């Protein structure tokens, strides 16, 4: 354990030295220094995480001053799983960002702040997974939220970016308030801020209320509806490497917090499982329905994050019901599928954000309706985006299929119940998960086709070309990792089983036989490998045959019309419009156009613009904001700009303090 303490102290030194070094070295070296600092931190925390997964749980404490006292550090299998995901995603984000921000080399101060905050952001996420003292945890959580907010507003000259940053900051502080209420509640009953005190609280008090408070706090970070509205604003505003890390990791720390609280639960497992499954199915459907109609491809990916949080939540709900019914297999399939999907989503979502970042860097637009035919200019990025699209759609031969298969298996296992209500819920969850998968395929078919296929829909300022190897290599590494999960998933299931062993006292995994699922996933990996091999062989044969022939480029058959143009192509909006009409009760479409007048025989040129509003933001958050602004307007007279009034306020405050002091003396 002394070696572990040295590693933790080493991480503090890395953080401080990295910030100092980034401040003084030339601009072109700053991103490399940040990436190297993240690499060293990953080696230190990764060693402890691997030790924990190997059975050597890390339990340490250090003295943090008179106020905090001894602060516990605990790394078990659950913490280790998330730490390793944080390390990998942050490393790929750092190296991708090095190439992505190459155009900002002349702005030294901006790069200094950005990369210093990135290093702080990385270490704060690792601290969140290690700290076991409520107050210290909240400090790390707040550092993580503040540093990520400043990373989001990298382009602070844009009003929209600043609004997105403020929106994110406000909602993250609501999350902090809810978590603070939860820890204070525990402290009032147990007199301790240590995480073990949460277990003590659950043993002697009702579990439902406190857990729901923590669930709301962590769920806001994760993006469960209706606590999701920061995601569609923050992800498009942030640089793409930050969007990838935030979507891949920071929302998962909300999932980490929820599962950590579940590990202390003592009762209400089935009720909470049913609540979480219901909310998760609604979250998944809501997220993918909104994603399907978006034309801003980064906003679309943000809603897909909400969708995948719903899928993870379904797994968590299954695991909770398994705890309540004393079913170790259901517990393993639920939480195991959720944890595997946490990893899978971190991989393919960061991959998709990086590939769309490459598109944005070359085209300077996020509007897919202005693009088209990019596969000719950016073939590698097109292939990467296609792989990510297939994976996120949960289709073989990629990794997304494996984790969704495990969650489906958990739902089917849950049907072996005597409760008609539970069976109905699970059947609806199965149907919901199927709908989510189908709509995901529709969404990414639309996105890939609109961006990469067909002809350019608009004239761009510069001809796009493939991005540098510095931006492509991190994406290749992610794909290699994804393929390892797709081909040998049984290895990851074994690791997850070790991570879940001992997580909860309600269910024991000792002696559980998961051989059938290990064998099934191994067969899935084998067939995935065969499918990849067959696809590669087909492509090789085709390339060999085509190479010997003369290639001719001709226009697409125009159904008898001989002069087609790019504006006649299918657009993203036209592709998803039928779905938008079906879900028009949920998808609020705003249109901006000038209608024709009855006597206007020869109408002039007109413009038409439409966009979709977020249902919860429009109907709840915007209305609350409007009422708050209206209420605060009644007090606007206080800040009237007159110096005399401000002096008078000071005199009144002094008189009140004087009178209260005299009253206490006389008393």
């Amino acid at each position: 354990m002394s070696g572990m303490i040295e590693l933790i102290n080493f991480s503090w030194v890395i953080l401080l030295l990295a910030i100092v070094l980034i401040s003084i070295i030339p601009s072109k070296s700053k991103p490399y220094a940040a990436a190297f600092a993240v690499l060293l931190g990953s080696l230190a925390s990764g060693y402890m995480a691997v030790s924990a997964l190997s059975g050597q749980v890390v339990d340490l404490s250090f003295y943090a001053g008179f106020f905090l006292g001894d602060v516990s550090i605990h790394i078990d299998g659950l913490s280790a799983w998330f730490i390793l995901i944080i390390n990998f995603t942050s490393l790929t984000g750092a190296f991708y960002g090095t190439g992505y921000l190459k155009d900002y080399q002349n702005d030294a101060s901006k790069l200094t702040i950005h990369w210093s905050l990135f290093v702080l952001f990385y270490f704060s996420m690792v601290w969140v997974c290690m700290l076991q003292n409520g107050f210290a945890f909240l400090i790390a959580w707040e550092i993580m939220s503040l540093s990520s907010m400043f990373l989001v507003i990298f382009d602070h000259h844009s009003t929209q970016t600043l609004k997105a940053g403020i929106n994110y900051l406000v909602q993250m502080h609501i999350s902090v308030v809810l978590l603070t209420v939860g820890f204070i509640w525990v402290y009032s009953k147990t007199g301790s801020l240590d995480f073990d005190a949460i277990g003590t609280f659950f043993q002697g008090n009702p579990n439902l209320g406190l857990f729901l408070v923590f669930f709301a706090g962590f769920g806001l970070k994760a993006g469960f509806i209706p606590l999701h509205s920061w995601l569609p604003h923050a992800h498009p505003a942030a640089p793409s490497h930050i969007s990838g890390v935030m979507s891949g990791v920071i929302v998962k720390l909300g999932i980490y917090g929820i599962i950590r609280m579940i590990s202390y639960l003592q009762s209400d497992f089935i009720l909470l499982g049913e609540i979480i499954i219901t909310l998760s199915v609604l979250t998944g459907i809501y997220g993918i329905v909104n994603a399907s109609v978006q034309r801003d491809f980064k906003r679309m990916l943000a809603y897909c994050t909400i969708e995948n949080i719903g899928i993870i939540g379904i797994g968590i709900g299954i695991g909770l019901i398994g705890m309540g019914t004393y079913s170790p297999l259901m517990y393993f399939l639920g939480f195991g599928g959720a944890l595997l999907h946490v990893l899978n989503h971190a991989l393919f979502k960061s991959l998709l954000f990086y590939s769309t970042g490459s598109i944005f860097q070359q085209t300077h637009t996020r509007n897919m309706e202005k693009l088209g035919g990019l596969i000719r200019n950016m073939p590698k990025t097109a292939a990467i985006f296609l792989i990510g699209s297939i994976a996120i759609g949960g289709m073989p031969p990629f990794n997304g299929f494996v984790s969704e298969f495990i969650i489906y298996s958990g739902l089917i296992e849950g049907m072996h119940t005597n409760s008609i209500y539970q069976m109905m819920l699970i059947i609806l969850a199965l149907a919901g998960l199927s709908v989510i998968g189908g709509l995901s395929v529709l969404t990414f078919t639309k996105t890939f086709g609109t961006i990469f296929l067909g002809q350019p829909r608009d004239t761009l300022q510069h001809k796009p070309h493939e991005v540098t190897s510095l931006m492509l290599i991190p994406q290749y590494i992610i794909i290699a990792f994804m393929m390892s999960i797709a081909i040998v998933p049984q290895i990851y299931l074994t690791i997850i089983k070790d991570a879940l062993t001992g997580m909860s006292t309600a269910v024991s995994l000792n002696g559980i036989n998961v051989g059938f699922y290990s064998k099934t996933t191994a067969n899935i990996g084998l067939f995935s490998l065969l499918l990849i091999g067959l696809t590669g062989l087909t492509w090789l044969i085709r390339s060999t045959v085509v190479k010997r022939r003369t290639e001719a480029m001709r226009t697409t058959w125009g159904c008898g019309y001989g002069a087609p143009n790019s504006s006649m192509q299918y657009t993203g909006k036209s592709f998803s419009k039928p779905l938008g009409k079906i879900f028009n009760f949920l998808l609020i479409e705003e249109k901006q156009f000038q209608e024709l007048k009855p006597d206007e025989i020869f109408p002039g040129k007109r413009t038409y613009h439409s966009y979709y509003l977020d249902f919860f933001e429009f109907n709840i958050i915007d209305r609350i904001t409007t009422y708050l602004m209206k209420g605060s307007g009644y007090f606007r007279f206080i800040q009237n700009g007159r110096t005399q009034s401000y002096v008078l306020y000071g005199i009144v405050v002094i008189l009140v303090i004087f009178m209260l002091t005299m009253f206490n003396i006389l008393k």
Side-chain angles (χ1 to χ4, degrees):
M1 287 298 172
S2 61
M4 299 295 182
I5 295 173
E6 291 173 0
L7 285 174
I8 291 171
N9 292 331
F10 177 61
S11 66
W12 285 101
V13 174
I14 294 169
L15 171 62
L16 296 174
L17 286 178
I19 292 174
V20 172
L21 188 62
I22 291 169
S23 303
I24 60 177
I25 60 177
S27 295
K28 63 180 181 180
S29 302
K30 293 179 189 295
Y32 297 104
F36 187 64
V38 173
L39 176 61
L40 291 177
S42 298
L43 291 173
S45 60
Y47 175 79
M48 292 186 285
V50 171
S51 298
L53 285 172
S54 302
Q56 186 183 350
V57 175
V58 178
D59 265 314
L60 303 168
S61 66
F62 64 93
Y63 184 70
F66 175 76
F67 186 72
L68 285 177
D70 290 330
V71 173
S72 300
I73 291 177
H74 179 78
I75 304 177
D76 57 6
L78 180 64
S79 300
W81 183 258
F82 282 88
I83 287 172
L84 291 174
I85 295 172
I86 290 167
N87 289 345
F88 182 82
T89 309
S90 299
L91 275 172
T92 57
F95 283 106
Y96 177 86
T98 301
Y100 184 78
L101 296 181
K102 210 164 187 178
D103 292 340
Y104 292 88
Q105 285 187 2
N106 294 329
D107 198 339
S109 59
K110 200 170 186 178
L111 287 179
T112 298
I113 295 171
H114 179 80
W115 288 113
S116 298
L117 286 168
F118 187 89
V119 176
L120 181 61
F121 175 49
Y122 160 71
F123 278 101
S124 64
M125 290 191 291
V126 175
W127 296 337
V128 163
C129 296
M130 293 168 56
L131 293 168
Q132 295 286 293
N133 176 280
F135 192 81
F137 177 88
L138 288 174
I139 292 173
W141 189 269
E142 182 72 357
I143 293 171
M144 178 181 69
S145 298
L146 287 172
S147 58
S148 57
M149 186 276 290
F150 285 113
L151 290 170
V152 166
I153 60 171
F154 178 78
D155 184 20
H156 59 270
H157 301 293
S158 167
T159 305
Q160 288 299 113
T161 300
L162 286 176
K163 285 182 178 179
I166 292 169
N167 181 4
Y168 172 66
L169 184 66
V170 169
Q171 297 202 44
M172 290 308 100
H173 277 85
I174 295 172
S175 169
V176 169
V177 168
L178 289 167
L179 295 178
T180 303
V181 168
F183 285 117
I184 290 174
W185 194 351
V186 172
Y187 182 80
S188 67
K189 295 289 186 179
T190 64
S192 173
L193 286 170
D194 197 83
F195 273 33
D196 289 337
I198 299 170
T200 304
F201 178 96
F202 282 144
Q203 286 176 356
N205 299 277
N207 288 197
L208 186 63
L210 178 64
F211 179 81
L212 290 178
V213 169
F214 277 122
F215 182 83
F218 288 119
L220 210 157
K221 178 71 79 176
F224 285 95
I225 62 168
L227 309 172
H228 67 282
S229 62
W230 65 271
L231 278 154
H233 295 285
H235 284 336
S240 289
H241 61 292
I242 301 303
S243 300
V245 175
M246 288 181 69
S247 181
V249 179
I250 198 171
V251 297
K252 306 308 187 319
L253 291 179
I255 298 296
Y256 165 77
I258 291 168
I259 298 177
R260 178 61 72 192
M261 294 303 116
I262 288 172
S263 69
Y264 296 114
L265 276 175
Q266 301 294 323
S267 62
D268 297 322
F269 301 116
I270 294 178
L271 175 60
L272 289 171
E274 291 171 347
I275 291 171
I276 291 176
I277 286 180
T278 304
L279 180 62
S280 298
V281 171
L282 295 174
T283 297
I285 293 175
Y286 180 84
I288 196 59
V289 165
N290 276 275
S292 65
V293 297
Q294 299 298 321
R295 274 95 79 187
D296 181 327
F297 48 70
K298 287 188 72 176
R299 189 173 173 87
M300 179 274 294
L301 290 176
Y303 275 111
C304 285
T305 298
I306 297 168
E307 169 228 341
N308 280 274
I309 288 298
I311 294 172
I312 294 166
I314 292 171
I316 293 173
I318 296 165
L320 272 166
I321 293 176
M323 293 168 70
T325 56
Y326 305 103
S327 170
L329 185 57
M330 195 173 174
Y331 168 80
F332 169 74
L333 293 172
F335 285 114
L339 290 179
L340 186 57
H341 202 74
V342 165
L343 171 60
N344 284 337
H345 181 253
L347 293 171
F348 53 63
K349 183 49 70 66
S350 58
L351 181 71
L352 287 166
F353 267 117
Y354 298 160
S355 57
T356 54
S358 301
I359 297 167
F360 179 74
Q361 188 198 58
Q362 295 299 312
T363 63
H364 304 289
T365 181
R366 300 196 308 259
N367 187 354
M368 65 179 72
E369 306 289 43
K370 295 183 178 181
L371 302 174
L374 279 184
I375 195 170
R376 299 178 187 87
N377 305 105
M378 305 177 71
K380 295 175 184 176
T381 297
I384 289 168
F385 189 89
L386 181 60
I387 290 170
S389 299
I390 295 171
I392 200 171
M395 293 184 291
F398 297 110
N399 57 327
F401 176 77
V402 180
S403 52
E404 291 196 28
F405 170 78
I406 298 298
I407 293 172
Y408 270 115
S409 300
L411 286 168
I412 293 169
E413 180 67 25
M415 294 182 70
H416 302 153
T417 176
N418 297 323
S419 171
I420 186 67
Y421 300 108
Q422 190 175 309
M423 185 176 290
M424 288 174 61
L425 176 64
I426 288 174
I427 291 171
L428 290 173
L430 278 166
L433 197 53
S434 302
V435 169
I436 291 167
L439 291 179
S440 182
V441 173
L442 181 148
T443 300
F444 282 92
T445 302
K446 175 201 79 171
T447 305
F448 183 84
T450 307
I451 295 174
F452 292 104
L453 304 182
Q455 299 295 323
R457 290 172 172 79
D458 212 348
T459 302
L460 301 173
Q461 294 179 356
H462 306 285
K463 184 179 179 180
H465 56 81
E466 195 56 82
V467 295
T468 61
S469 297
L470 194 60
M471 296 170 67
L472 289 171
I473 289 173
Q475 299 179 69
Y476 294 151
I477 294 171
I478 293 172
I479 291 171
F481 200 168
M482 289 166 57
M483 295 310 303
S484 71
I485 300 172
I487 295 169
V488 285
Q490 64 273 23
I491 295 175
Y492 293 88
L493 284 181
T494 302
I495 296 171
I496 288 172
K497 183 184 175 185
D498 293 338
L500 290 173
T501 301
M503 188 188 84
S504 173
T505 57
V507 177
S508 174
L509 288 178
N510 295 327
I512 182 177
N513 182 16
V514 294
F516 170 76
Y517 293 98
S518 293
K519 186 177 179 180
T520 304
T521 53
N523 289 334
I524 290 171
L526 177 61
F527 285 112
S528 296
L529 185 60
L530 288 173
L531 179 57
I532 293 167
L534 183 61
T535 305
L537 181 63
T538 305
W539 178 82
L540 184 64
I541 294 170
R542 182 190 178 280
S543 299
T544 305
V545 172
V546 169
K547 193 180 291 184
R548 299 171 185 171
R549 298 181 179 180
T550 304
E551 242 180 63
M553 298 290 290
R554 295 187 177 90
T555 55
T556 307
W557 178 55
C559 302
Y561 183 74
N565 58 62
S566 60
S567 62
M568 296 172 65
Q569 299 177 100
Y570 238 72
T571 62
K573 176 177 171 58
S574 58
F575 192 95
S576 58
K577 183 66 177 178
L579 185 70
K581 285 183 174 292
I582 293 171
F583 288 95
N584 61 359
F585 62 93
L586 195 63
L587 300 170
I588 304 169
E589 186 178 11
E590 286 287 306
K591 302 175 183 178
Q592 295 176 357
F593 66 98
Q594 185 181 357
E595 292 187 5
L596 290 176
K597 298 177 182 178
D599 57 346
E600 195 172 3
I601 301 173
F602 300 103
K605 184 178 179 181
R606 276 172 166 75
T607 58
Y608 175 87
H609 177 63
S610 70
Y611 55 93
Y612 288 93
L613 300 172
D614 187 286
F615 178 85
F616 290 101
E617 187 173 6
F618 178 74
N619 287 294
I620 300 174
I621 296 174
D622 286 351
R623 292 188 181 185
I624 292 172
T625 304
T626 301
Y627 287 131
L628 286 173
M629 293 295 293
K630 188 176 179 180
S632 62
Y634 292 117
F635 300 94
R636 194 173 295 170
F637 69 91
I638 296 174
Q639 190 177 356
N640 51 35
R642 292 198 295 267
T643 307
Q644 298 94 324
S645 298
Y646 301 146
V647 172
L648 180 62
Y649 300 156
I651 293 171
V652 170
V653 170
I654 292 170
L655 286 173
V656 169
I657 293 172
F658 177 75
M659 291 173 66
L660 289 173
T661 306
M662 291 300 296
F663 176 77
N664 287 330
I665 292 172
L666 293 172
K667 188 177 178 181

